[in-house]
Amino acid sequence: MSSQPLKGKVGLVFGVANKRSIAWGIAKAWSDAGAKLIFNYQGDRLKENVEELAATFGAETPVAPCDVSRDEDIAKFFDFVKGKAPKVDLLLHSVAFAPKEALEGNFVDTTREAFRVAHDISAYSLVAVSRAAAPLMTEGGSIVTMSYYGAVKVVPHYNVMGVAKAALEASVRYLAYDLGPKKIRVNAISAGPVNTLAARGISGFGAMLAHYEAHAPLKRNITLEELGAMGVFLAADGSAGITGQTLYADSGYSVMGM
Ligand code: NAD
Ligand code: 0WE
């Protein structure tokens, strides 16, 4: 394979908060592979962070606001994209949120509002951005989202996020079916735990990293570089026959029965 498998490709990146973000790990790998990127940021709080990181790929790297829970933000973001690129090839969706209290107590206590918010931001948003991106993917494309094993097995305290990830993984399959005829592929990477902003707020997260080191077949945790390489694989022609799938990058943890 060429050293720049994504040369000439344009990618949209949703979900960079800082340099530890999974989205940033994959964006760096996409850029190294030759892709031109356009970034969103969630709100004013993250604007400077994302602008600064994006500028490491050149001062002209486009960056625009988009809160994925707002249809008008999504419409404006894609209008911005149309002004910057003649077509889009790649889309990374690396966004999730549930109200903090929903990740603390018991799942049975999940409120209607916490359930709604978790599903809106963590699952529906993939559908919304895929629908907006598809007409711009005039030469086909690859859409990649991030999931977690809590979608298929009970991980204590992951709670409503697990249910939202199950909806996300099912959405990947239905989107793959709808967009397949346009040569647009849709896949999820189910990552083992990574020490990011979204993870650091979770009590016991350090113990979870240690548990993977002790019990995963590879006896270590996954790195951002490995997730980047997986992101390049799913974006490039080497994965041309793969769509609708959830691929595990978890040091093998999910194959263990005990
Ligand atoms: P992160 O905090 O760096 O990224 C989460 C991103 O979601 C942030 O950039 C945040 O701005 C964005 N976001 C939240 N609500 C949003 C909204 N309304 N509109 C737009 N953006 C919004 O954390 P991360 O760990 O890199 O998370 C990225 C993805 O990876 C998530 O889908 C997460 O579930 C998934 N994931 C994380 C881990 C882990 O252990 N860190 C493991 C598996 C999967
Ligand atoms: O998807 C995630 C975390 C996503 C997330 C994180 C937060 C923290 C701050 C969603 N919403 C919020 N809301 C906040 O207020 N992961 C895969 C990381 C994660 O989170 C866990 C985990 C793992 C792993 C929570 C409980 C148990 C395990």
Side-chain angles (χ1 to χ4, degrees), residues 22 93-97 118-119 121-123 125-126 145-152 158-173 188-191 246:
I22 290 172
H93 173 278
S94 183
V95 170
F97 181 80
H119 283 72
I121 296 176
S122 313
S125 65
L126 176 69
T145 188
M146 298 306 306
S147 195
Y148 174 63
Y149 193 42
V152 295
Y158 199 59
N159 293 358
V160 73
M161 272 307 307
V163 181
K165 290 299 193 190
L168 180 75
E169 291 180 6
S171 298
V172 163
R173 293 187 282 271
I189 299 173
S190 185
T246 298

PDB file of all heavy atoms in Angstrom, residues 22 93-97 118-119 121-123 125-126 145-152 158-173 188-191 246:
ATOM      1  N   ILE A  22      -9.792  10.729  21.301  1.00  0.00           N
ATOM      2  CA  ILE A  22      -9.664   9.688  20.282  1.00  0.00           C
ATOM      3  C   ILE A  22      -9.764  10.329  18.893  1.00  0.00           C
ATOM      4  O   ILE A  22      -9.017   9.957  17.977  1.00  0.00           O
ATOM      5  CB  ILE A  22     -10.735   8.598  20.500  1.00  0.00           C
ATOM      6  CG1 ILE A  22     -10.401   7.800  21.770  1.00  0.00           C
ATOM      7  CG2 ILE A  22     -10.828   7.665  19.282  1.00  0.00           C
ATOM      8  CD1 ILE A  22     -11.488   6.823  22.212  1.00  0.00           C
ATOM      9  N   HIS A  93     -17.064  10.282  13.444  1.00  0.00           N
ATOM     10  CA  HIS A  93     -18.006  10.669  14.498  1.00  0.00           C
ATOM     11  C   HIS A  93     -17.447  10.094  15.800  1.00  0.00           C
ATOM     12  O   HIS A  93     -17.426   8.865  15.978  1.00  0.00           O
ATOM     13  CB  HIS A  93     -19.378  10.076  14.162  1.00  0.00           C
ATOM     14  CG  HIS A  93     -20.414  10.235  15.234  1.00  0.00           C
ATOM     15  ND1 HIS A  93     -20.508   9.387  16.320  1.00  0.00           N
ATOM     16  CD2 HIS A  93     -21.408  11.148  15.387  1.00  0.00           C
ATOM     17  CE1 HIS A  93     -21.519   9.770  17.087  1.00  0.00           C
ATOM     18  NE2 HIS A  93     -22.091  10.828  16.542  1.00  0.00           N
ATOM     19  N   SER A  94     -16.958  10.964  16.665  1.00  0.00           N
ATOM     20  CA  SER A  94     -16.320  10.517  17.911  1.00  0.00           C
ATOM     21  C   SER A  94     -16.890  11.349  19.056  1.00  0.00           C
ATOM     22  O   SER A  94     -16.183  12.095  19.728  1.00  0.00           O
ATOM     23  CB  SER A  94     -14.799  10.670  17.781  1.00  0.00           C
ATOM     24  OG  SER A  94     -14.139  10.193  18.929  1.00  0.00           O
ATOM     25  N   VAL A  95     -18.197  11.215  19.228  1.00  0.00           N
ATOM     26  CA  VAL A  95     -18.988  12.088  20.094  1.00  0.00           C
ATOM     27  C   VAL A  95     -19.870  11.217  20.983  1.00  0.00           C
ATOM     28  O   VAL A  95     -20.497  10.270  20.491  1.00  0.00           O
ATOM     29  CB  VAL A  95     -19.880  13.002  19.219  1.00  0.00           C
ATOM     30  CG1 VAL A  95     -20.880  13.755  20.063  1.00  0.00           C
ATOM     31  CG2 VAL A  95     -19.024  13.956  18.377  1.00  0.00           C
ATOM     32  N   ALA A  96     -19.909  11.519  22.260  1.00  0.00           N
ATOM     33  CA  ALA A  96     -20.838  10.832  23.168  1.00  0.00           C
ATOM     34  C   ALA A  96     -21.072  11.713  24.374  1.00  0.00           C
ATOM     35  O   ALA A  96     -20.189  12.467  24.791  1.00  0.00           O
ATOM     36  CB  ALA A  96     -20.266   9.485  23.622  1.00  0.00           C
ATOM     37  N   PHE A  97     -22.254  11.627  24.929  1.00  0.00           N
ATOM     38  CA  PHE A  97     -22.537  12.320  26.191  1.00  0.00           C
ATOM     39  C   PHE A  97     -23.777  11.725  26.851  1.00  0.00           C
ATOM     40  O   PHE A  97     -24.779  11.466  26.187  1.00  0.00           O
ATOM     41  CB  PHE A  97     -22.763  13.818  25.982  1.00  0.00           C
ATOM     42  CG  PHE A  97     -23.029  14.540  27.285  1.00  0.00           C
ATOM     43  CD1 PHE A  97     -21.990  14.897  28.131  1.00  0.00           C
ATOM     44  CD2 PHE A  97     -24.336  14.835  27.672  1.00  0.00           C
ATOM     45  CE1 PHE A  97     -22.238  15.526  29.359  1.00  0.00           C
ATOM     46  CE2 PHE A  97     -24.589  15.464  28.895  1.00  0.00           C
ATOM     47  CZ  PHE A  97     -23.544  15.813  29.731  1.00  0.00           C
ATOM     48  N   ALA A 118     -28.743  11.074  26.195  1.00  0.00           N
ATOM     49  CA  ALA A 118     -27.685  10.114  25.848  1.00  0.00           C
ATOM     50  C   ALA A 118     -27.886   9.588  24.424  1.00  0.00           C
ATOM     51  O   ALA A 118     -26.926   9.488  23.641  1.00  0.00           O
ATOM     52  CB  ALA A 118     -27.666   8.956  26.852  1.00  0.00           C
ATOM     53  N   HIS A 119     -29.130   9.245  24.093  1.00  0.00           N
ATOM     54  CA  HIS A 119     -29.401   8.700  22.755  1.00  0.00           C
ATOM     55  C   HIS A 119     -29.311   9.772  21.680  1.00  0.00           C
ATOM     56  O   HIS A 119     -28.844   9.507  20.566  1.00  0.00           O
ATOM     57  CB  HIS A 119     -30.764   7.997  22.735  1.00  0.00           C
ATOM     58  CG  HIS A 119     -30.714   6.651  23.377  1.00  0.00           C
ATOM     59  ND1 HIS A 119     -30.581   6.479  24.740  1.00  0.00           N
ATOM     60  CD2 HIS A 119     -30.729   5.403  22.852  1.00  0.00           C
ATOM     61  CE1 HIS A 119     -30.527   5.187  25.014  1.00  0.00           C
ATOM     62  NE2 HIS A 119     -30.613   4.509  23.884  1.00  0.00           N
ATOM     63  N   ILE A 121     -27.417  12.599  21.632  1.00  0.00           N
ATOM     64  CA  ILE A 121     -26.039  13.034  21.351  1.00  0.00           C
ATOM     65  C   ILE A 121     -25.156  11.863  20.921  1.00  0.00           C
ATOM     66  O   ILE A 121     -24.295  12.018  20.054  1.00  0.00           O
ATOM     67  CB  ILE A 121     -25.447  13.759  22.576  1.00  0.00           C
ATOM     68  CG1 ILE A 121     -26.265  15.035  22.835  1.00  0.00           C
ATOM     69  CG2 ILE A 121     -23.969  14.076  22.372  1.00  0.00           C
ATOM     70  CD1 ILE A 121     -25.870  15.802  24.066  1.00  0.00           C
ATOM     71  N   SER A 122     -25.361  10.684  21.500  1.00  0.00           N
ATOM     72  CA  SER A 122     -24.420   9.585  21.284  1.00  0.00           C
ATOM     73  C   SER A 122     -24.812   8.654  20.137  1.00  0.00           C
ATOM     74  O   SER A 122     -23.966   7.925  19.630  1.00  0.00           O
ATOM     75  CB  SER A 122     -24.293   8.752  22.568  1.00  0.00           C
ATOM     76  OG  SER A 122     -24.122   9.594  23.698  1.00  0.00           O
ATOM     77  N   ALA A 123     -26.091   8.645  19.733  1.00  0.00           N
ATOM     78  CA  ALA A 123     -26.531   7.721  18.671  1.00  0.00           C
ATOM     79  C   ALA A 123     -27.222   8.470  17.528  1.00  0.00           C
ATOM     80  O   ALA A 123     -26.774   8.391  16.376  1.00  0.00           O
ATOM     81  CB  ALA A 123     -27.453   6.647  19.253  1.00  0.00           C
ATOM     82  N   SER A 125     -27.112  11.444  16.589  1.00  0.00           N
ATOM     83  CA  SER A 125     -26.220  12.393  15.896  1.00  0.00           C
ATOM     84  C   SER A 125     -25.462  11.721  14.744  1.00  0.00           C
ATOM     85  O   SER A 125     -25.151  12.382  13.744  1.00  0.00           O
ATOM     86  CB  SER A 125     -25.232  13.038  16.870  1.00  0.00           C
ATOM     87  OG  SER A 125     -24.353  12.061  17.401  1.00  0.00           O
ATOM     88  N   LEU A 126     -25.181  10.420  14.859  1.00  0.00           N
ATOM     89  CA  LEU A 126     -24.519   9.737  13.730  1.00  0.00           C
ATOM     90  C   LEU A 126     -25.435   9.722  12.511  1.00  0.00           C
ATOM     91  O   LEU A 126     -24.976   9.931  11.381  1.00  0.00           O
ATOM     92  CB  LEU A 126     -24.129   8.301  14.108  1.00  0.00           C
ATOM     93  CG  LEU A 126     -23.516   7.508  12.935  1.00  0.00           C
ATOM     94  CD1 LEU A 126     -22.129   8.066  12.577  1.00  0.00           C
ATOM     95  CD2 LEU A 126     -23.448   6.028  13.246  1.00  0.00           C
ATOM     96  N   THR A 145     -17.437   5.583  13.348  1.00  0.00           N
ATOM     97  CA  THR A 145     -17.855   6.066  14.664  1.00  0.00           C
ATOM     98  C   THR A 145     -17.171   5.245  15.742  1.00  0.00           C
ATOM     99  O   THR A 145     -16.554   4.215  15.459  1.00  0.00           O
ATOM    100  CB  THR A 145     -19.398   6.038  14.797  1.00  0.00           C
ATOM    101  OG1 THR A 145     -19.774   6.682  16.028  1.00  0.00           O
ATOM    102  CG2 THR A 145     -19.949   4.619  14.791  1.00  0.00           C
ATOM    103  N   MET A 146     -17.265   5.696  16.973  1.00  0.00           N
ATOM    104  CA  MET A 146     -16.585   5.047  18.097  1.00  0.00           C
ATOM    105  C   MET A 146     -17.593   4.412  19.038  1.00  0.00           C
ATOM    106  O   MET A 146     -18.535   5.071  19.489  1.00  0.00           O
ATOM    107  CB  MET A 146     -15.764   6.084  18.898  1.00  0.00           C
ATOM    108  CG  MET A 146     -14.663   6.756  18.124  1.00  0.00           C
ATOM    109  SD  MET A 146     -13.486   5.627  17.329  1.00  0.00           S
ATOM    110  CE  MET A 146     -12.961   4.626  18.724  1.00  0.00           C
ATOM    111  N   SER A 147     -17.386   3.125  19.337  1.00  0.00           N
ATOM    112  CA  SER A 147     -18.257   2.455  20.291  1.00  0.00           C
ATOM    113  C   SER A 147     -17.443   1.857  21.426  1.00  0.00           C
ATOM    114  O   SER A 147     -16.220   2.056  21.513  1.00  0.00           O
ATOM    115  CB  SER A 147     -19.105   1.392  19.591  1.00  0.00           C
ATOM    116  OG  SER A 147     -20.169   0.990  20.439  1.00  0.00           O
ATOM    117  N   TYR A 148     -18.162   1.129  22.277  1.00  0.00           N
ATOM    118  CA  TYR A 148     -17.540   0.521  23.459  1.00  0.00           C
ATOM    119  C   TYR A 148     -18.322  -0.740  23.821  1.00  0.00           C
ATOM    120  O   TYR A 148     -19.533  -0.819  23.614  1.00  0.00           O
ATOM    121  CB  TYR A 148     -17.493   1.535  24.619  1.00  0.00           C
ATOM    122  CG  TYR A 148     -17.007   0.937  25.911  1.00  0.00           C
ATOM    123  CD1 TYR A 148     -15.712   0.436  26.008  1.00  0.00           C
ATOM    124  CD2 TYR A 148     -17.847   0.845  27.009  1.00  0.00           C
ATOM    125  CE1 TYR A 148     -15.275  -0.152  27.188  1.00  0.00           C
ATOM    126  CE2 TYR A 148     -17.420   0.268  28.193  1.00  0.00           C
ATOM    127  CZ  TYR A 148     -16.133  -0.230  28.264  1.00  0.00           C
ATOM    128  OH  TYR A 148     -15.708  -0.829  29.426  1.00  0.00           O
ATOM    129  N   TYR A 149     -17.608  -1.707  24.367  1.00  0.00           N
ATOM    130  CA  TYR A 149     -18.122  -3.038  24.731  1.00  0.00           C
ATOM    131  C   TYR A 149     -19.367  -2.997  25.619  1.00  0.00           C
ATOM    132  O   TYR A 149     -20.164  -3.945  25.623  1.00  0.00           O
ATOM    133  CB  TYR A 149     -16.983  -3.769  25.433  1.00  0.00           C
ATOM    134  CG  TYR A 149     -17.126  -5.253  25.639  1.00  0.00           C
ATOM    135  CD1 TYR A 149     -17.634  -6.079  24.654  1.00  0.00           C
ATOM    136  CD2 TYR A 149     -16.687  -5.830  26.830  1.00  0.00           C
ATOM    137  CE1 TYR A 149     -17.727  -7.459  24.859  1.00  0.00           C
ATOM    138  CE2 TYR A 149     -16.765  -7.195  27.045  1.00  0.00           C
ATOM    139  CZ  TYR A 149     -17.294  -8.008  26.056  1.00  0.00           C
ATOM    140  OH  TYR A 149     -17.365  -9.359  26.265  1.00  0.00           O
ATOM    141  N   GLY A 150     -19.543  -1.916  26.349  1.00  0.00           N
ATOM    142  CA  GLY A 150     -20.764  -1.755  27.161  1.00  0.00           C
ATOM    143  C   GLY A 150     -22.039  -1.780  26.333  1.00  0.00           C
ATOM    144  O   GLY A 150     -23.134  -1.846  26.879  1.00  0.00           O
ATOM    145  N   ALA A 151     -21.910  -1.720  24.999  1.00  0.00           N
ATOM    146  CA  ALA A 151     -23.063  -1.874  24.103  1.00  0.00           C
ATOM    147  C   ALA A 151     -23.602  -3.294  24.120  1.00  0.00           C
ATOM    148  O   ALA A 151     -24.787  -3.508  23.841  1.00  0.00           O
ATOM    149  CB  ALA A 151     -22.657  -1.510  22.668  1.00  0.00           C
ATOM    150  N   VAL A 152     -22.736  -4.268  24.369  1.00  0.00           N
ATOM    151  CA  VAL A 152     -23.155  -5.677  24.239  1.00  0.00           C
ATOM    152  C   VAL A 152     -23.082  -6.470  25.542  1.00  0.00           C
ATOM    153  O   VAL A 152     -23.718  -7.514  25.654  1.00  0.00           O
ATOM    154  CB  VAL A 152     -22.370  -6.407  23.115  1.00  0.00           C
ATOM    155  CG1 VAL A 152     -22.695  -5.792  21.769  1.00  0.00           C
ATOM    156  CG2 VAL A 152     -20.892  -6.391  23.348  1.00  0.00           C
ATOM    157  N   TYR A 158     -21.694   2.016  33.314  1.00  0.00           N
ATOM    158  CA  TYR A 158     -21.777   2.564  31.940  1.00  0.00           C
ATOM    159  C   TYR A 158     -23.245   2.837  31.590  1.00  0.00           C
ATOM    160  O   TYR A 158     -23.565   3.727  30.828  1.00  0.00           O
ATOM    161  CB  TYR A 158     -21.100   1.626  30.937  1.00  0.00           C
ATOM    162  CG  TYR A 158     -20.752   2.302  29.628  1.00  0.00           C
ATOM    163  CD1 TYR A 158     -19.903   3.405  29.597  1.00  0.00           C
ATOM    164  CD2 TYR A 158     -21.265   1.837  28.412  1.00  0.00           C
ATOM    165  CE1 TYR A 158     -19.587   4.032  28.400  1.00  0.00           C
ATOM    166  CE2 TYR A 158     -20.952   2.454  27.220  1.00  0.00           C
ATOM    167  CZ  TYR A 158     -20.111   3.555  27.223  1.00  0.00           C
ATOM    168  OH  TYR A 158     -19.801   4.168  26.026  1.00  0.00           O
ATOM    169  N   ASN A 159     -24.129   2.018  32.147  1.00  0.00           N
ATOM    170  CA  ASN A 159     -25.568   2.315  32.221  1.00  0.00           C
ATOM    171  C   ASN A 159     -26.174   2.760  30.891  1.00  0.00           C
ATOM    172  O   ASN A 159     -26.054   2.056  29.886  1.00  0.00           O
ATOM    173  CB  ASN A 159     -25.805   3.368  33.317  1.00  0.00           C
ATOM    174  CG  ASN A 159     -25.507   2.824  34.716  1.00  0.00           C
ATOM    175  OD1 ASN A 159     -25.154   1.660  34.856  1.00  0.00           O
ATOM    176  ND2 ASN A 159     -25.661   3.647  35.736  1.00  0.00           N
ATOM    177  N   VAL A 160     -26.797   3.933  30.875  1.00  0.00           N
ATOM    178  CA  VAL A 160     -27.535   4.345  29.672  1.00  0.00           C
ATOM    179  C   VAL A 160     -26.607   4.557  28.474  1.00  0.00           C
ATOM    180  O   VAL A 160     -27.043   4.438  27.318  1.00  0.00           O
ATOM    181  CB  VAL A 160     -28.393   5.608  29.951  1.00  0.00           C
ATOM    182  CG1 VAL A 160     -27.510   6.853  30.086  1.00  0.00           C
ATOM    183  CG2 VAL A 160     -29.445   5.803  28.852  1.00  0.00           C
ATOM    184  N   MET A 161     -25.315   4.808  28.732  1.00  0.00           N
ATOM    185  CA  MET A 161     -24.389   4.911  27.595  1.00  0.00           C
ATOM    186  C   MET A 161     -24.265   3.570  26.870  1.00  0.00           C
ATOM    187  O   MET A 161     -24.082   3.539  25.651  1.00  0.00           O
ATOM    188  CB  MET A 161     -22.991   5.359  28.058  1.00  0.00           C
ATOM    189  CG  MET A 161     -22.780   6.865  28.117  1.00  0.00           C
ATOM    190  SD  MET A 161     -23.186   7.710  26.568  1.00  0.00           S
ATOM    191  CE  MET A 161     -22.212   6.797  25.394  1.00  0.00           C
ATOM    192  N   GLY A 162     -24.363   2.477  27.606  1.00  0.00           N
ATOM    193  CA  GLY A 162     -24.325   1.153  26.969  1.00  0.00           C
ATOM    194  C   GLY A 162     -25.514   0.956  26.044  1.00  0.00           C
ATOM    195  O   GLY A 162     -25.376   0.428  24.928  1.00  0.00           O
ATOM    196  N   VAL A 163     -26.664   1.398  26.501  1.00  0.00           N
ATOM    197  CA  VAL A 163     -27.880   1.271  25.690  1.00  0.00           C
ATOM    198  C   VAL A 163     -27.766   2.186  24.457  1.00  0.00           C
ATOM    199  O   VAL A 163     -28.140   1.794  23.342  1.00  0.00           O
ATOM    200  CB  VAL A 163     -29.115   1.602  26.549  1.00  0.00           C
ATOM    201  CG1 VAL A 163     -30.389   1.462  25.745  1.00  0.00           C
ATOM    202  CG2 VAL A 163     -29.157   0.691  27.778  1.00  0.00           C
ATOM    203  N   ALA A 164     -27.217   3.370  24.647  1.00  0.00           N
ATOM    204  CA  ALA A 164     -27.034   4.296  23.519  1.00  0.00           C
ATOM    205  C   ALA A 164     -26.002   3.740  22.525  1.00  0.00           C
ATOM    206  O   ALA A 164     -26.162   3.894  21.299  1.00  0.00           O
ATOM    207  CB  ALA A 164     -26.598   5.672  24.029  1.00  0.00           C
ATOM    208  N   LYS A 165     -24.954   3.084  23.022  1.00  0.00           N
ATOM    209  CA  LYS A 165     -23.959   2.485  22.107  1.00  0.00           C
ATOM    210  C   LYS A 165     -24.565   1.309  21.333  1.00  0.00           C
ATOM    211  O   LYS A 165     -24.201   1.071  20.175  1.00  0.00           O
ATOM    212  CB  LYS A 165     -22.698   2.051  22.861  1.00  0.00           C
ATOM    213  CG  LYS A 165     -21.832   3.192  23.392  1.00  0.00           C
ATOM    214  CD  LYS A 165     -21.297   4.111  22.309  1.00  0.00           C
ATOM    215  CE  LYS A 165     -20.198   5.033  22.828  1.00  0.00           C
ATOM    216  NZ  LYS A 165     -19.841   6.092  21.846  1.00  0.00           N
ATOM    217  N   ALA A 166     -25.483   0.579  21.978  1.00  0.00           N
ATOM    218  CA  ALA A 166     -26.184  -0.493  21.255  1.00  0.00           C
ATOM    219  C   ALA A 166     -26.989   0.113  20.105  1.00  0.00           C
ATOM    220  O   ALA A 166     -26.996  -0.417  18.981  1.00  0.00           O
ATOM    221  CB  ALA A 166     -27.090  -1.268  22.211  1.00  0.00           C
ATOM    222  N   ALA A 167     -27.646   1.244  20.375  1.00  0.00           N
ATOM    223  CA  ALA A 167     -28.395   1.945  19.318  1.00  0.00           C
ATOM    224  C   ALA A 167     -27.441   2.467  18.245  1.00  0.00           C
ATOM    225  O   ALA A 167     -27.754   2.427  17.044  1.00  0.00           O
ATOM    226  CB  ALA A 167     -29.193   3.101  19.922  1.00  0.00           C
ATOM    227  N   LEU A 168     -26.269   2.921  18.668  1.00  0.00           N
ATOM    228  CA  LEU A 168     -25.269   3.411  17.708  1.00  0.00           C
ATOM    229  C   LEU A 168     -24.814   2.282  16.785  1.00  0.00           C
ATOM    230  O   LEU A 168     -24.737   2.452  15.555  1.00  0.00           O
ATOM    231  CB  LEU A 168     -24.065   3.991  18.472  1.00  0.00           C
ATOM    232  CG  LEU A 168     -22.931   4.538  17.606  1.00  0.00           C
ATOM    233  CD1 LEU A 168     -23.320   5.894  17.003  1.00  0.00           C
ATOM    234  CD2 LEU A 168     -21.635   4.694  18.432  1.00  0.00           C
ATOM    235  N   GLU A 169     -24.515   1.111  17.367  1.00  0.00           N
ATOM    236  CA  GLU A 169     -24.027  -0.017  16.552  1.00  0.00           C
ATOM    237  C   GLU A 169     -25.118  -0.518  15.602  1.00  0.00           C
ATOM    238  O   GLU A 169     -24.831  -0.873  14.449  1.00  0.00           O
ATOM    239  CB  GLU A 169     -23.504  -1.138  17.466  1.00  0.00           C
ATOM    240  CG  GLU A 169     -22.214  -0.712  18.189  1.00  0.00           C
ATOM    241  CD  GLU A 169     -21.624  -1.774  19.119  1.00  0.00           C
ATOM    242  OE1 GLU A 169     -22.140  -2.920  19.132  1.00  0.00           O
ATOM    243  OE2 GLU A 169     -20.643  -1.452  19.814  1.00  0.00           O
ATOM    244  N   ALA A 170     -26.362  -0.519  16.064  1.00  0.00           N
ATOM    245  CA  ALA A 170     -27.468  -0.906  15.166  1.00  0.00           C
ATOM    246  C   ALA A 170     -27.641   0.153  14.071  1.00  0.00           C
ATOM    247  O   ALA A 170     -27.899  -0.187  12.907  1.00  0.00           O
ATOM    248  CB  ALA A 170     -28.755  -1.097  15.958  1.00  0.00           C
ATOM    249  N   SER A 171     -27.463   1.421  14.428  1.00  0.00           N
ATOM    250  CA  SER A 171     -27.564   2.502  13.429  1.00  0.00           C
ATOM    251  C   SER A 171     -26.490   2.341  12.355  1.00  0.00           C
ATOM    252  O   SER A 171     -26.744   2.610  11.177  1.00  0.00           O
ATOM    253  CB  SER A 171     -27.425   3.868  14.109  1.00  0.00           C
ATOM    254  OG  SER A 171     -28.473   4.070  15.043  1.00  0.00           O
ATOM    255  N   VAL A 172     -25.302   1.895  12.761  1.00  0.00           N
ATOM    256  CA  VAL A 172     -24.221   1.642  11.796  1.00  0.00           C
ATOM    257  C   VAL A 172     -24.687   0.629  10.742  1.00  0.00           C
ATOM    258  O   VAL A 172     -24.460   0.808   9.540  1.00  0.00           O
ATOM    259  CB  VAL A 172     -22.942   1.158  12.531  1.00  0.00           C
ATOM    260  CG1 VAL A 172     -21.952   0.487  11.580  1.00  0.00           C
ATOM    261  CG2 VAL A 172     -22.279   2.340  13.256  1.00  0.00           C
ATOM    262  N   ARG A 173     -25.385  -0.419  11.190  1.00  0.00           N
ATOM    263  CA  ARG A 173     -25.850  -1.444  10.240  1.00  0.00           C
ATOM    264  C   ARG A 173     -26.912  -0.892   9.283  1.00  0.00           C
ATOM    265  O   ARG A 173     -26.850  -1.122   8.073  1.00  0.00           O
ATOM    266  CB  ARG A 173     -26.393  -2.657  11.010  1.00  0.00           C
ATOM    267  CG  ARG A 173     -25.305  -3.401  11.781  1.00  0.00           C
ATOM    268  CD  ARG A 173     -25.829  -4.688  12.397  1.00  0.00           C
ATOM    269  NE  ARG A 173     -26.591  -4.478  13.609  1.00  0.00           N
ATOM    270  CZ  ARG A 173     -26.094  -4.435  14.852  1.00  0.00           C
ATOM    271  NH1 ARG A 173     -24.798  -4.567  15.041  1.00  0.00           N
ATOM    272  NH2 ARG A 173     -26.876  -4.269  15.892  1.00  0.00           N
ATOM    273  N   ALA A 188     -18.049   0.969  12.876  1.00  0.00           N
ATOM    274  CA  ALA A 188     -17.702   1.429  14.224  1.00  0.00           C
ATOM    275  C   ALA A 188     -16.424   0.748  14.684  1.00  0.00           C
ATOM    276  O   ALA A 188     -16.187  -0.420  14.371  1.00  0.00           O
ATOM    277  CB  ALA A 188     -18.832   1.118  15.200  1.00  0.00           C
ATOM    278  N   ILE A 189     -15.628   1.484  15.418  1.00  0.00           N
ATOM    279  CA  ILE A 189     -14.485   0.917  16.150  1.00  0.00           C
ATOM    280  C   ILE A 189     -14.904   0.824  17.610  1.00  0.00           C
ATOM    281  O   ILE A 189     -15.264   1.842  18.213  1.00  0.00           O
ATOM    282  CB  ILE A 189     -13.239   1.827  16.041  1.00  0.00           C
ATOM    283  CG1 ILE A 189     -12.789   1.992  14.588  1.00  0.00           C
ATOM    284  CG2 ILE A 189     -12.108   1.287  16.918  1.00  0.00           C
ATOM    285  CD1 ILE A 189     -11.652   3.019  14.399  1.00  0.00           C
ATOM    286  N   SER A 190     -14.896  -0.384  18.160  1.00  0.00           N
ATOM    287  CA  SER A 190     -15.175  -0.545  19.584  1.00  0.00           C
ATOM    288  C   SER A 190     -13.840  -0.582  20.316  1.00  0.00           C
ATOM    289  O   SER A 190     -13.094  -1.563  20.246  1.00  0.00           O
ATOM    290  CB  SER A 190     -15.977  -1.819  19.842  1.00  0.00           C
ATOM    291  OG  SER A 190     -16.333  -1.880  21.220  1.00  0.00           O
ATOM    292  N   ALA A 191     -13.539   0.530  20.984  1.00  0.00           N
ATOM    293  CA  ALA A 191     -12.218   0.707  21.601  1.00  0.00           C
ATOM    294  C   ALA A 191     -12.235   0.267  23.057  1.00  0.00           C
ATOM    295  O   ALA A 191     -13.228   0.467  23.769  1.00  0.00           O
ATOM    296  CB  ALA A 191     -11.798   2.176  21.524  1.00  0.00           C
ATOM    297  N   THR A 246     -18.867  -3.595  13.512  1.00  0.00           N
ATOM    298  CA  THR A 246     -18.201  -3.054  14.702  1.00  0.00           C
ATOM    299  C   THR A 246     -16.920  -3.851  14.874  1.00  0.00           C
ATOM    300  O   THR A 246     -16.972  -5.070  15.094  1.00  0.00           O
ATOM    301  CB  THR A 246     -19.100  -3.184  15.943  1.00  0.00           C
ATOM    302  OG1 THR A 246     -20.280  -2.415  15.735  1.00  0.00           O
ATOM    303  CG2 THR A 246     -18.383  -2.680  17.187  1.00  0.00           C
TER     304      THR A 246
END
